[in-house]
Amino acid sequence: MEYAGNKDRKTEARLKKIFVCSPFRGIGSTEEAARKDYQNNIALAKGVCRYVADKGFIPYCPHLYFPRFLMDSDPDEREIGMLMGQSWLAQCSELWVIGRRISSGMEREIAKAKEWGIPVKHYPESVKLVSMNQHSR
């Protein structure tokens, strides 16, 4: 007798897993500018994750998850988060680089994807990607 959830599990196993690689930390000439950039980065990551999900793929975005319980400002905890993110990357079909700015954390993720033979796709026009998604709902 086949368990009813097996069909769903088989479908889930075939869904493409997309690692979302976009800036996390805010930058700016003032604290306020850096805070606003950080908020924009989070909004961008959320929008891209929605876009990925709407395409029928599974978004993996560690910088939306791990900072909920790890302190990015603590170098040791940041490193733990980066290593945890790499374990997610190892499960992904592709890495999508979002935007034109490449942070040091993104550089590490891109290098690891290339080392592991995971295809890296660049989406420099991230604002268009997210706004197209918002208009398609």
Side-chain angles (χ1 to χ4, degrees):
M1 176 176 196
E2 183 170 283
Y3 172 70
N6 284 346
K7 183 178 179 185
D8 291 338
R9 287 184 183 167
K10 288 177 185 174
T11 300
E12 181 180 330
R14 284 182 276 141
L15 290 177
K16 190 183 290 189
K17 297 173 179 92
I18 305 298
F19 190 95
V20 176
C21 181
S22 65
F24 176 67
R25 289 183 178 173
I27 58 171
S29 57
T30 66
E31 190 174 316
E32 177 63 24
R35 187 180 63 73
K36 184 171 182 166
D37 188 51
Y38 164 78
Q39 291 171 339
N40 288 337
N41 291 342
I42 296 301
L44 173 64
K46 287 179 178 180
V48 171
C49 285
R50 177 61 193 234
Y51 177 83
V52 170
D54 284 350
K55 293 295 179 190
F57 306 141
I58 302 171
Y60 278 54
C61 191
H63 56 290
L64 288 182
Y65 179 67
F66 296 125
R68 294 194 171 283
F69 54 87
L70 295 174
M71 296 299 298
D72 189 64
S73 59
D74 178 316
D76 292 333
E77 291 197 12
R78 176 175 170 73
E79 182 60 25
I80 290 167
M82 290 295 297
L83 292 172
M84 289 177 175
Q86 286 180 8
S87 73
W88 282 14
L89 175 59
Q91 302 173 45
C92 290
S93 310
E94 298 175 358
L95 179 142
W96 288 10
V97 180
I98 308 299
R100 296 187 185 280
R101 179 167 60 112
I102 307 294
S103 68
S104 61
M106 292 170 67
E107 285 177 352
R108 284 179 60 185
E109 293 165 343
I110 294 165
K112 191 56 76 172
K114 289 179 178 179
E115 177 185 329
W116 290 341
I118 297 169
V120 175
K121 296 189 176 183
H122 294 265
Y123 295 93
E125 301 301 328
S126 56
V127 174
K128 288 182 184 176
L129 181 76
V130 173
S131 67
M132 283 186 334
N133 182 55
Q134 290 171 344
H135 295 307
S136 67
R137 287 188 198 163

